[in-house]
Amino acid sequence: MKELYEPLDEETLFIVSQTFKALSDPTRIRILHLLSSGEFSVTEIANRLSLLQSTVSHQLRFLKNLRLVKYRREGTTLYYSYDDEHVLHILEQTIRHARDH
């Protein structure tokens, strides 16, 4: 019988823990949830979520470092969108689960 358990290497463990860390913050959840519906500038995110632009920028930097969001430049404006469909799927499933309870 083949053993199903496979130990986690340090890199995998780190990536998983950082992903859950990203999803453990309400502000980051709100930003990712908004980005699931499209591409937005920092100003648009701040306005739609009633947050300070500095707060949004800080959280986007965190999410970008984990490769959960990406951006494109148009003139002097950066437009952000999600960059990891798997993590977005986990987030949306968790939101649906929470709403069903």
Side-chain angles (χ1 to χ4, degrees):
M1 178 180 205
K2 184 178 178 186
E3 187 175 309
L4 297 177
Y5 173 77
E6 184 179 328
L8 297 171
D9 62 77
E10 289 300 314
E11 182 182 1
T12 301
L13 191 57
F14 179 76
I15 292 169
V16 171
S17 68
Q18 289 301 296
T19 300
F20 278 104
K21 181 179 178 181
L23 296 177
S24 71
D25 181 85
T27 301
R28 290 191 289 263
I29 291 170
R30 292 175 67 208
I31 291 170
L32 286 169
H33 183 61
L34 176 62
L35 293 178
S36 73
S37 68
E39 182 181 71
F40 298 92
S41 70
V42 173
T43 302
E44 291 169 330
I45 295 169
N47 290 340
R48 285 177 179 251
L49 300 180
S50 300
L51 296 168
L52 295 173
Q53 283 190 22
S54 59
T55 301
V56 172
S57 292
H58 173 76
Q59 298 301 343
L60 286 170
R61 200 167 25 260
F62 183 90
L63 294 168
K64 189 171 85 52
N65 287 340
L66 291 174
R67 290 182 255 166
L68 300 180
V69 300
K70 61 184 174 185
Y71 68 88
R72 69 173 181 85
R73 182 181 301 274
E74 191 173 295
T76 59
T77 304
L78 299 178
Y79 290 92
Y80 286 85
S81 58
Y82 71 88
D83 193 26
D84 191 320
E85 235 174 278
H86 295 103
V87 172
L88 192 66
H89 183 68
I90 292 167
L91 176 61
E92 295 303 326
Q93 269 190 316
T94 306
I95 290 169
R96 277 194 305 277
H97 179 75
R99 285 180 171 164
D100 289 345
H101 277 67

